[in-house]
Amino acid sequence: MVNRTIGLYQGIALYVASILGSGVLFISGVTANVAGPASILSWLIVIMFSFPLAYTFACLSRDYPDAGGVATFVRNAFGFHMGHIVGWFYFLTAAVGQTIVSLTGAFYLTHAFDLSDMGRIITAVCVLMLAGVTNYYGVKVSGKVALYISALLLILLLIVVLISLPHMKWNNFTPFVSEGMFAIGTAVTLIFWSFFGWEAICNLAPHFKSPKITIPRSTMISVILIGALFLALSVVTIGTETYGEAESNLSPLGVILEQTLGVGAKKGTAIIALIIALGTTNAYVASLTQLGYSLSKDGAFPRFLSVREPTNHVPRRMVIFVVIFAISGLMMTELLSLTFSDILFIPTSLGLFVYIFCMAAGVKLFVKRTRPWWCSLISAIFCFSVLPFFELYILVPVFVFMGYVIYIKCHNRTALKKRRGRHEKRSTIN
């Protein structure tokens, strides 16, 4: 019997915790650098389409409550392998995502305390290692702690917005479309990173009280609340011209607080950013470990990674794999001198395909011409319309898809050889 404990307010808190991750610490500066003042339009576009997108996920969760989440929706609509492919997309989205999260916390700390580049790398590695150690030994961060971290971030955002208002200059909004119209679409693709999370609550759907009412209501209220916060942060980032340089692009909150309240505030913000990065990375590793374990058990990942420890039932091999994968991504980023925009396109392109498959699943699963069906269709069209702005990064999901096909063919061939070997051995004995 599933224990239904999540009400309306708890649902809103969970959505806020899922959406307001580390992305909010830097995304307003990155998008302003890409599209200038017109990035406000990019935010408005994503917020507007978040309503049908989030509503579709809410209705899918309501009608197909299962811990499998997005993979369950796609599997029900398009079959076993498509569900696994979405699992691969989602795994890589989060795996690369935790590299970004650790770098964000490290970047804030580096610029607040004047650390070297090596200090930044070591800090990011330590964030990932700490998350790995806690998950390896089965230390769980409670839901309350996660919500406290989100509340801390919410308060920080409100403070930044309020203290920035007197320092805004309206001439910073002109020329409005300073980087061209195409840049608005490019900024939309980057903003998707901050709005990933509507699907994260899907696997908790069985735990909602009166899910047919509570899930849609908590979703719509959350879209309004989160959209307003993101938009306000974008406006003050542009109004105070806190973008255009490496530091302001990647740590706009710290720069704004330093300019308005002093250096002490910048250091305080850096510590808060590091705590948020630690909390988010810990959640990423925990989520990826469970997803990877599920994929391994079903044969979509190597089965030796699905071995659980007999004492705490943690798939420790998967925890190690997840952390090594993230640290490898971190080192690759440093060796190739990649920018945050370059890295962001990788998980965002994969995450967008997860959304496309889920919206297509909604179109197939919902009754035609009902409100959920229309929301699925509108969201699918919107997601498809964003694809050209990814340019060559659109090939990332294609390569992952090819990798899955090659893996399954090799896996099946190996399994067939093992079965033949066992059969020949039995024949020899007989």
Side-chain angles (χ1 to χ4, degrees), residues 2-59:
V2 177
N3 190 17
R4 297 182 181 275
T5 57
I6 303 175
L8 178 64
Y9 296 110
Q10 292 93 332
I12 294 169
L14 285 169
Y15 273 118
V16 170
S18 298
I19 304 297
L20 290 184
S22 65
V24 76
L25 295 171
F26 67 89
I27 203 70
S28 64
V30 171
T31 54
N33 187 60
V34 167
S39 61
I40 293 173
L41 291 179
S42 305
W43 283 99
L44 286 171
I45 290 168
V46 176
I47 291 167
M48 181 178 66
F49 281 100
S50 290
F51 284 94
L53 192 69
Y55 184 76
T56 300
F57 276 118
C59 292

Side-chain angles (χ1 to χ4, degrees), residues 349-370:
S349 63
L350 291 166
L352 184 65
F353 269 83
V354 171
Y355 277 20
I356 287 172
F357 279 117
C358 287
M359 296 306 104
V363 172
K364 185 173 181 180
L365 295 172
F366 292 131
V367 177
K368 285 187 177 181
R369 293 179 177 80
T370 58

Side-chain angles (χ1 to χ4, degrees), residues 111-129:
H111 284 271
F113 294 94
D114 295 322
L115 302 179
S116 64
D117 288 343
M118 182 58 66
R120 172 168 52 81
I121 297 169
I122 292 171
T123 301
V125 170
C126 286
V127 168
L128 292 169
M129 291 293 292

